Each structure stands twice: as structure tokens, then as C-alpha cells.
Amino acid sequence: MSENNSNQVAGNCGPACEGESLIIEVTGKEHPEGHSFRIFDETNYEQQEWLERQLEVDPLDNSVLHVWPWQRGLSHNLWLDISAEEGAAIRVPLFESVTSTKREMEKQQNRILPLVPLTLIHDPEPEPGQPKEQLVPVRPGFIYVFRNGRLWRELEVQYADSGVMEFRDVRLTDYRQDGRKGVTEDRRPALGKAQPAIWIPVSEMSRSLLSEFEMAFSEVQWSAQRIAYLEASHSARKERCQSLKGPEPLPEVAPQPEDRKKPGCLMSLFKLPEMRLREPYLEQNLSRPWKSVYDLKGQYSRNLYAQAKEEAEAFAANKESASSAWENAGYRDSALKGSASVRLAALESQLSGDEGELWQALGETGDSLAESRDAGYTGVILQDHLFCVRHHVSLALSAQSLIETVAQLAQKSKHIDSAYLVQSVILPEKLGGKKNPLNEFARHLDTTYFGPLHMSLRSAQRRIAREELARAQKLVADTIKSKEYQSVLADLFTLKKEDYIEGFAVCSNIFQVLCQNPNDWDPESERAVTNEEQVRDANDLLLKIIEEGSDQPLHAMIFPSDELLKSRAETPAPEECGDGRCRPNDLQGISESLPEIENSQSLTAVALAAVAKDEKSLDLVTELKRWSAAVNTLLDSLQKHSQALLNKLKSRSYSISAKFYGPLLRMAKARDPDLFGTVELVARNAVPQGWLMIGISDPEIGLKYGLTEADHEYRHKANLHKRLYGELYDEEGNLLATTSKSRLDLSADDVDPGTSRHAREMQVFAAPADSEVIETHRQLRSTTKWERFLDHARIPYLVFAIETLNLTSELRLQSQITNDKGFARMGAGALSALADLTFAGSLAAERISVVVQ
């Protein structure tokens, strides 16, 4: 406490020395300079400086009393001034209508607690006797404190060079407008002098104030829209913030284990583990991040990396060492369990010979809570759901990379080609649905994980990698299925300009993880690592997020509603879009102007900007074009992962319909209204006159059933054979399609697909013949060098997806007609259409694979 004109009174003075007084107690001791009290009348208009000058400070063992002489019946308001690095002090209201108070033997009637924010990291598989939630300091970011529903303080969390947390206030009064919710600017610098704790009033005239306060941690500074929304919505604050909960802890009493898992709970710092400051990026790659936080010597990650290198070397050495490494990896308490990232780093070191910088020793440091603990400050638990999301997703992506890296190492095995041949030809019990005659020779082979065959294939390491993917996918699914965890991503989806990309980047990674089947990830492995129920739960969660009418919070953040697209010219009130809902204009604008990286909060935006600045990174002329290409590639990935899952689940009757493809189309319209604004999903029998089904027919370029004349002259790049040859039969052996017209029954009648009963149930993508999307598709299909065309003109992924989906729909429709009418009555045109559509689908698949690459 700093008061230039305060008087020190003896600590043993006691009540006998005092007449009528106002007493404010600040828990803790040795409070640094930077806080001072201001007294105003009840209208907050007249400052009582004459009274402020009579302050006396009385340090006690565990707190400091601030005492003013007071007249009986006098009622005033108290404010707190926080020193600023620039300009006037930052002033916040503390107490209202306080009167004289008698001196209490223990807690005074008016009390302030200095709070130190902590957070929890969940341990999904705690060791025996260990809690499921581990306490750690909060990451660098921002603390938001609401009082009675209004933002009271905004503080930036910074890490000092001395190894402790510091908190700097934003002068909110600079961004307030009288009578209006929210603030006027999205970026607000923290100008307050660094403080070791956040002062919160917890008792006013013996009345608890805890219920008035809600607190939240965010890794980014909230936008003005976000603040306005949270101030306007009690339910949103309840979901996003933590209400403070008592009782007030005693500073020298260790917290109970149950107190360590209650968000908003006040707790003593006494006997908490010693903790270093956080290393967020490193921790995202650790299965047990708190172990690094609790290691003041800074050796945890380095030691873990050394263990991973030993394991990798053991698997590569010989049968005995590989068997031992496999056994150790299976132990429940294995240090490397869940550590796909560090295993990946060890294998990459084998490939490149370089040591990963991420896994170097952190160096020794002190306990970041030591000073706060000694001063008797109080801890408060705030949730950090976004770190949990990033952490689990990072582990899953590392597991995918681990599978690929193990396969690369297997390619270096001396007899790898023979091993692949044996695995694919001899080991399968059946080939093509029939008994494999070569399988009888498998009994002469050592097919254990540590025989010559599987040592060459590195099958044991591949299994570990897929198990890591299965484990991480379950963590991601369990996390994202909570609407509370989804909702916190609104912090990112309410950012502005280039920072808006961050929410989509996180969701792209989530989609990538949820759409996978760990059992299918490695084609060279036949052993399942997880049950189909877990995979189905993950896949279905992604479908719930995508599908029309979804109640999942992420749906509205990623996919704009029809209403938003129609009203995109209107400017909504700030509190109306602070929930993170998709903003079409802002989404379109991300790629249209270069980012202002010096002010960016998004690591993704910074990374993409670096790609755009590098003239060698993309074959495009200007930095803006490279930036636009990088942004659109990221946004395309959301559609790619969605489409990958829908393609995989065709057997479960997920057809082209507005239920899944409507939201994807609306997102494309938001990103590029000029290109996709006229595209609609319509029934196959209700395509408007003058409209075309994209990718199916277009007289302008001679496109019919997905093929142009150029496609008919197509030569396969590998063998130079013209198109494809052969027949398509149904289950009873009837000819359904053929590339030979002599095999067709030319006397039968053709059926117009658009007039069939199935056409009413089939939806296709269509657009006016003179629209930009049709012209873009014509340019693509009219060139014989379309791979080269892609290098110079960006064609959004959805153009290729629409073409493929329409071809799939049309092929399904033709097949249904064939089944209804029967082979004998099908005309030459219908059967030829089946063949053409099948061939067109293969060409479309080739085009889309190039785009994905």
C-alpha cells in the first residue's frame, strides 16, 4: 500500500486508541506500491481529500488495516486508484455507503483480498492417489472481472523476467460511453503498473460481496462485441465466467483436496506444489503438462525426450530390445504413454539427425508462487478450456504425424518391399472375397511383432502410434461434446480482421481429428486399436456440428444462417454477435487485405503472413495473392474434412441433402458471394429453366453426363491408355453399364432421370447458366492442362466438391432407375450414361486429389 501522506500507527494500538473510525482490511502483508484509496460522497461527485489525508496504516501479522477517523452517521463511497505507466491512475469503485465501523478482533467488516489466478489441467488417467485436476498458474493472457454484470476490471497477465506473474490493468474508463454496454475499441493496451495480485473487495459492512463477482481467463483480449454480449447476457456470463465462492481461506491452512477442483473457489496457497511459469506450446505437446510446471530444475521435457530416443533406438536395434521396449510401452504408468509428440520428435531425429529445440532443458528457476505465498495472498481457480482443446488436438495431430513418420522409417528397411509383398499377398486369409491359397505358407513365417517381417514393417511402433491417435481422438471427442468447451471458442470467433482466422484454424484441426478412424489410418496394419463405438461417437459428433439445425455452439460459429447471408449488408448491434456467430462480411474480408501482424493476437495469422511474405512459398506474384491463397487453403480444409467424413459414411445413408451440404454451401457463399452466391441445392426434378447442374451437363462446352470431348480423349498419365474400358454388372449378373455400344440393347427405351420418382428425393447443386461459378467451371473443364491452370487461378475446393457430389448423385439416380426398370428395358442412352458417369467420377476424384495435395 502506498500513501505519501499516510501515517503509520502502532500495531498494538487496538480498539482503545480509536474513536469512531472507518477500517478497511487488506489481507496479506508487504503490499507493493501502486494502490491507493479515494473517498467520495454518495453521489461520487465530490472527492473528500481532507479525509483521505487522515489515513493511518496499521500492519498486522496477516493483513494491513487502513483507518480513517469517521463521524458517526457519515456515509461515503470508496474507490481504488491503481497507478498507471501513462496518464491518470486507473480508478475502480470499491465500497458504497460505508459508515463508521468498530475494530474487530479477527476479520474487519470491510475486507479486500489480493487474488492470484490459477487454473486446472485435467488428468484423464491419474496415478493412484493423485487428483484428477492439477493446479498450475494461468497462461499469459487476460483476466476479466465482472461486478453485478458489468465489466469492472480487465487485466493483462504477463510473465516477469524474475519468474513471477504480473497483472496490469486496462483503463476501461477510456473506452466507456455513458449508459451503453461494452467498450468502444477492440484493442485496449494495459497501462497499469505491474501488480503481484488482483485486489477484490469481499466484504462490505459485514455483508459478503463474493456473489457480485464473476471472473474469467482468456488467452486473447476480448473484442468490444464480446464484452457487450457478456454484459448483456447473464446466462452467457454464467457459462463463460466463474462466480467467486467462499469461504475465505486462512493463509496458513492448506487447501482441502476437494477445493482444488472447484472453479471460482478461493483457496490458500499454503502447501501447494512449487510451480514454474507456464510454457504453453511445450505443454501442448506433453501428455502430463503439470509435471513440467512442477519441475523447477527444468529437466522434465528433456528427460522425456531422452526416454523417447532410447525407445526408438531399442525398436530399431534387434528383436530382444524391441520386445523390451514394447513391454515397457504397455505399462499403465509408462512415462511415454500418451506422448505422441515426443515420440515423433525422437523419430524425426533419427531421420534428420537434428535435435528438436522444443525438447531442450528449460533451465532452473524459482517458485512462481513463493512471493504470493509468503505475502499471504489468496488463490482463485479459473478455467482455461481453450488450452484443454488445443492440448488434446495437438496430441492427436502429433499421433497422425507419428504414424506417417514410422512408415517413412520403415521404407528405409533393407527388405521392406519383400515385407510389404508378404503382408499383402501371403498373410491375408482371404483375397477378393475368396480363400487365399498362399495363406498356407504363412505358418512357416514368424509373424510375431519381433520377427524379421514385422521388424522391417515396424508394426509394433505403428500400433503404438495408432493407439496414441485413438486415445487422443477420444480426448478430443470427450472435450468437444461439452457445449461449455465449444462455447469458449467464441473468444476466438469474435476477434476482428486477420485474427478472425484463429477460430477457424482451431476448428479445422478439430474436424480433422473427429473425422478419422484410427483403425483405418495405417493401411499396412490390420489389427484394430479401438472399438467402432468410439470411432462412431467421434464421427457422429462432427456430423452433429455440421448438420442443419444443429444445436451445437460451433455450428453457428462456423456456418452462417440464411438470415445472416441475406442481411449481410446490415450492421448488427455489438451485443448481437458477441456469441461468436459467423460474420459473413468479416469472413469474406480476411483474405481481401494484408494483415496487420504487429497488432495480431492470432498465431495462425502470423504464420500465414510469414508464408505470404516468402516469395518462394507459393507460385503467386503478389504478397496479397499469397496471403489470400494461404487463408483460403485453411478455410477449405474445414470443407475437406467434412466431405471426407461424409464420403466415408455413404454406407450409412448420408446422401447429398441440405442437412449436411446446405451449411457447407452457406459457408462458401459467405467467403465468396460473387462466386457462390447464385448456387442452390435444389431437387433434381426442379432445376429452374436456364440453370445448369454443375459438373453434369453444359451445352456451352459440350459437357454431358460429366464428360467433355476432351475427357473422352483422356489418356491416363501412367500408361497412356484412352479412358476406361469394361462393364458394370448388378448382383445378379445383369449388365448395368458398358463402354462398348455393341453390348447395349438399342431397342429399349431411355428414361429421363429428371422425370423419375427418385428425382424428387435427390438434391443437386445448380446455378444460372450465366453465373460466375458456371463460367469458372467452364474454364476448368475446357482446358486440357487443368493442373497447370490450377497454378494460376485459384478454384475453391467447393467447386470440385460440388462437381463430385453432383456426379455421385446422378450416378445413384441412374442406378435406382435401372433397378426399377430392369436391365432388359433400359435403353442405350441410360446404360451409356451409367458408364460415362462412372468414368467422370474417376476423373473428378483425380482432380480433387490434386487440389487436396
Side-chain angles (χ1 to χ4, degrees):
M1 177 68 191
S2 174
E3 284 288 350
N4 295 331
N5 52 8
S6 67
N7 301 311
Q8 296 287 330
V9 299
N12 60 359
C13 177
C17 304
E18 298 172 351
E20 294 291 330
S21 303
L22 172 66
I23 304 174
I24 305 295
E25 180 180 19
V26 183
T27 302
K29 50 193 176 183
E30 300 178 2
H31 300 300
E33 296 183 355
H35 294 98
S36 55
F37 295 100
R38 297 290 176 254
I39 303 174
F40 284 81
D41 66 0
E42 289 186 286
T43 66
N44 289 321
Y45 183 73
E46 293 185 3
Q47 185 173 349
Q48 311 298 304
E49 296 180 83
W50 63 272
L51 193 52
E52 293 170 4
R53 288 193 290 269
Q54 300 182 57
L55 170 67
E56 294 182 341
V57 180
D58 185 2
L60 304 180
D61 290 341
N62 295 312
S63 65
V64 176
L65 303 186
H66 304 267
V67 185
W68 294 265
W70 212 262
Q71 297 178 9
R72 184 183 298 273
L74 187 64
S75 179
H76 283 320
N77 297 340
L78 263 73
W79 292 64
L80 179 67
D81 271 8
I82 303 149
S83 298
E85 297 286 358
E86 299 177 17
I90 297 162
R91 182 168 293 175
V92 294
L94 280 180
F95 301 109
E96 290 185 349
S97 302
V98 291
T99 60
S100 62
T101 56
K102 64 179 182 179
R103 183 166 178 144
E104 306 291 347
M105 296 302 295
E106 294 185 0
K107 295 180 178 179
Q108 304 305 309
Q109 295 182 39
N110 301 303
R111 296 189 305 281
I112 293 173
L113 285 183
L115 298 184
V116 177
L118 304 170
T119 191
L120 299 169
I121 298 180
H122 180 69
D123 183 359
E125 299 179 5
E127 298 173 0
Q130 296 299 313
K132 290 185 177 180
E133 309 291 343
Q134 300 289 344
L135 277 167
V136 294
V138 294
R139 297 181 289 155
F142 291 83
I143 301 292
Y144 291 89
V145 187
F146 291 85
R147 186 174 188 180
N148 293 323
R150 185 174 173 83
L151 184 61
W152 183 64
R153 291 178 71 179
E154 177 184 23
L155 305 100
E156 184 172 3
V157 183
Q158 298 179 349
Y159 286 176
D161 293 339
S162 58
V164 299
M165 288 186 288
E166 294 180 339
F167 308 96
R168 296 178 181 269
D169 273 86
V170 172
R171 190 187 293 116
L172 285 175
T173 52
D174 290 351
Y175 310 101
R176 290 290 196 184
Q177 290 183 343
D178 293 340
R180 296 186 61 180
K181 290 181 171 59
V183 292
T184 57
E185 300 293 335
D186 293 311
R187 298 309 306 273
R188 305 167 296 279
L191 301 177
K193 288 188 176 179
Q195 299 296 329
I198 304 170
W199 284 22
I200 303 288
V202 295
S203 177
E204 177 185 86
M205 303 302 293
S206 297
R207 178 179 65 89
S208 175
L209 299 178
L210 286 176
S211 61
E212 296 184 1
F213 289 94
E214 298 160 299
M215 297 182 68
F217 167 81
S218 173
E219 70 173 42
V220 295
Q221 187 173 44
W222 287 346
S223 68
Q225 287 180 332
R226 184 70 168 149
I227 291 173
Y229 171 73
L230 290 171
E231 286 189 332
S233 173
H234 171 72
S235 60
R237 284 197 315 276
K238 184 177 180 180
E239 183 175 53
R240 181 61 185 88
C241 304
Q242 289 78 63
S243 298
L244 297 190
K245 303 179 181 67
E248 298 172 38
L250 298 174
E252 295 183 358
V253 177
Q256 297 299 312
E258 58 268 19
D259 293 336
R260 298 190 180 193
K261 53 185 178 183
K262 297 178 181 177
C265 178
L266 304 180
M267 61 184 304
S268 168
L269 302 178
F270 187 62
K271 289 193 174 179
L272 289 185
E274 294 181 328
M275 305 179 192
R276 69 186 303 123
L277 293 178
R278 305 280 299 277
E279 296 284 345
Y281 182 70
L282 170 64
E283 292 170 21
Q284 287 179 28
N285 291 278
L286 298 173
S287 61
R288 302 170 183 86
W290 59 90
K291 291 199 171 186
S292 177
V293 177
Y294 295 167
D295 172 33
L296 299 189
K297 293 187 179 298
Q299 297 297 315
Y300 176 76
S301 57
R302 179 64 185 175
N303 292 341
L304 196 66
Y305 178 64
Q307 293 180 57
K309 290 195 69 174
E310 290 177 6
E311 180 189 79
E313 292 167 358
F315 273 119
N318 54 58
K319 176 178 181 178
E320 290 73 21
S321 63
S323 178
S324 177
W326 169 259
E327 182 180 357
N328 292 334
Y331 291 143
R332 185 180 184 278
D333 60 349
S334 169
L336 293 175
K337 188 174 184 179
S339 301
S341 298
V342 69
R343 281 181 161 130
L344 173 63
L347 294 186
E348 287 176 339
S349 176
Q350 281 190 347
L351 283 171
S352 66
D354 298 330
E355 296 290 332
E357 293 184 7
L358 183 64
W359 304 100
Q360 301 302 313
L362 295 177
E364 191 167 358
T365 188
D367 178 12
S368 64
L369 297 181
E371 294 180 8
S372 297
R373 186 186 294 109
D374 293 342
Y377 296 164
T378 299
V380 60
I381 301 175
L382 304 180
Q383 293 173 329
D384 187 2
H385 287 335
L386 192 49
F387 174 79
C388 182
V389 172
R390 290 188 183 277
H391 179 215
H392 294 164
V393 168
S394 178
L395 295 179
L397 297 180
S398 292
Q400 292 180 2
S401 297
L402 179 61
I403 295 171
E404 296 169 349
T405 303
V406 173
Q408 291 179 35
L409 281 170
Q411 290 292 338
K412 294 181 175 295
S413 299
K414 185 176 180 180
H415 303 293
I416 188 60
D417 291 335
S418 299
Y420 280 142
L421 183 63
V422 169
Q423 186 183 44
S424 60
V425 176
I426 296 178
L427 294 189
E429 295 182 1
K430 290 185 177 181
L431 285 177
K434 299 180 180 179
K435 183 178 179 180
N436 178 13
L438 298 178
N439 182 250
E440 64 176 288
F441 298 104
R443 58 191 175 89
H444 301 295
L445 301 173
D446 181 355
T447 56
T448 65
Y449 268 151
F450 310 107
L453 173 64
H454 285 293
M455 284 289 286
S456 293
L457 294 171
R458 291 184 176 252
S459 298
Q461 286 173 284
R462 289 184 174 193
R463 181 173 178 83
I464 288 174
R466 290 191 300 124
E467 287 175 345
E468 295 288 14
L469 177 56
R471 182 181 295 108
Q473 184 190 53
K474 186 177 188 306
L475 289 174
V476 173
D478 289 346
T479 300
I480 299 302
K481 71 182 179 183
S482 165
K483 293 183 180 180
E484 184 178 349
Y485 278 81
Q486 289 187 38
S487 296
V488 79
L489 271 91
D491 290 359
L492 304 180
F493 278 107
T494 49
L495 296 177
K496 297 300 183 63
K497 297 182 179 179
E498 68 276 353
D499 290 343
Y500 191 26
I501 195 70
E502 188 66 25
F504 293 98
V506 173
C507 287
S508 174
N509 291 336
I510 291 172
F511 278 30
Q512 181 177 346
V513 174
L514 293 180
C515 77
Q516 302 296 338
N517 183 343
N519 295 325
D520 298 338
W521 186 261
D522 185 355
E524 304 304 329
S525 181
E526 297 179 357
R527 297 182 173 106
V529 293
T530 187
N531 58 65
E532 290 301 318
E533 182 179 357
Q534 175 187 314
V535 176
R536 185 166 56 251
D537 287 347
N539 293 168
D540 286 349
L541 175 57
L542 181 52
L543 293 176
K544 288 178 182 178
I545 293 172
I546 299 172
E547 69 181 354
E548 195 70 85
S550 172
D551 63 350
Q552 302 294 308
L554 279 181
H555 178 90
M557 297 182 197
I558 299 171
F559 306 110
S561 64
D562 282 324
E563 291 74 16
L564 281 174
L565 288 177
K566 292 174 182 177
S567 63
R568 65 188 303 162
E570 302 174 8
T571 302
E575 59 269 19
E576 292 181 1
C577 38
D579 58 355
R581 72 185 64 177
C582 185
R583 310 191 306 271
N585 290 339
D586 290 346
L587 181 58
Q588 178 187 355
I590 297 176
S591 62
E592 293 183 345
S593 59
L594 286 172
E596 300 173 4
I597 293 305
E598 61 275 7
N599 297 317
S600 179
Q601 298 190 82
S602 166
L603 291 177
T604 300
V606 172
L608 295 184
V611 171
K613 283 186 176 296
D614 184 1
E615 296 182 0
K616 298 179 181 179
S617 62
L618 295 170
D619 187 19
L620 294 170
V621 177
T622 66
E623 182 180 350
L624 178 58
K625 287 186 177 181
R626 292 191 293 271
W627 163 256
S628 178
V631 168
N632 284 306
T633 298
L634 188 152
L635 295 173
D636 281 346
S637 65
L638 284 160
Q639 295 171 328
K640 292 175 185 176
H641 299 319
S642 302
Q643 184 60 49
L645 177 60
L646 292 170
N647 287 343
K648 184 172 67 176
L649 298 181
K650 281 179 182 176
S651 59
R652 291 169 58 184
S653 302
Y654 290 105
S655 60
I656 298 180
S657 70
K659 183 177 182 180
F660 296 110
Y661 293 101
L664 292 172
L665 177 58
R666 289 200 303 275
M667 183 184 179
K669 289 185 176 186
R671 291 171 53 191
D672 196 339
D674 293 335
L675 184 61
F676 290 106
T678 56
V679 179
E680 298 293 342
L681 263 174
V682 297
R684 173 65 175 81
N685 70 334
V687 177
Q689 186 174 4
W691 285 43
L692 299 175
M693 291 183 293
I694 301 170
I696 302 298
S697 61
D698 187 351
E700 182 77 16
I701 57 173
L703 183 70
K704 184 177 182 181
Y705 291 118
L707 295 178
T708 64
E709 288 302 318
D711 293 327
H712 281 285
E713 296 300 318
Y714 171 83
R715 292 178 181 269
H716 193 280
K717 289 183 291 185
N719 55 27
L720 299 183
H721 290 168
K722 282 190 178 182
R723 50 180 303 177
L724 301 176
Y725 291 92
E727 285 81 30
L728 177 66
Y729 295 87
D730 65 13
E731 295 178 352
E732 299 178 358
N734 296 318
L735 180 67
L736 296 182
T738 177
T739 55
S740 173
K741 290 188 178 181
S742 63
R743 296 275 285 121
L744 298 177
D745 181 1
L746 300 179
S747 63
D749 296 328
D750 290 337
V751 176
D752 179 5
T755 62
S756 71
R757 65 182 180 87
H758 297 290
R760 295 191 300 271
E761 303 168 1
M762 188 72 69
Q763 288 189 303
V764 295
F765 292 95
D770 59 353
S771 63
E772 184 174 335
V773 69
I774 294 295
E775 180 58 34
T776 299
H777 187 260
R778 285 170 178 165
Q779 293 178 40
L780 169 68
R781 297 303 305 274
S782 297
T783 179
T784 57
K785 300 291 186 180
W786 61 270
E787 296 99 329
R788 187 179 303 168
F789 174 69
L790 288 176
D791 293 336
H792 300 280
R794 180 190 174 267
I795 306 298
Y797 172 82
L798 193 62
V799 172
F800 294 90
I802 285 174
E803 177 189 52
T804 305
L805 292 168
N806 276 351
L807 287 169
T808 302
S809 272
E810 193 71 4
L811 181 59
R812 184 183 296 115
L813 179 60
Q814 293 279 3
S815 298
Q816 288 172 338
I817 294 171
T818 301
N819 291 334
D820 286 352
K821 198 159 183 66
F823 168 73
R825 298 176 58 199
M826 288 305 298
L831 287 173
S832 180
L834 275 172
D836 283 353
L837 286 166
T838 302
F839 181 49
S842 68
L843 295 183
E846 181 180 332
R847 283 192 292 272
I848 211 166
S849 68
V850 171
V851 176
V852 170
Q853 292 170 11

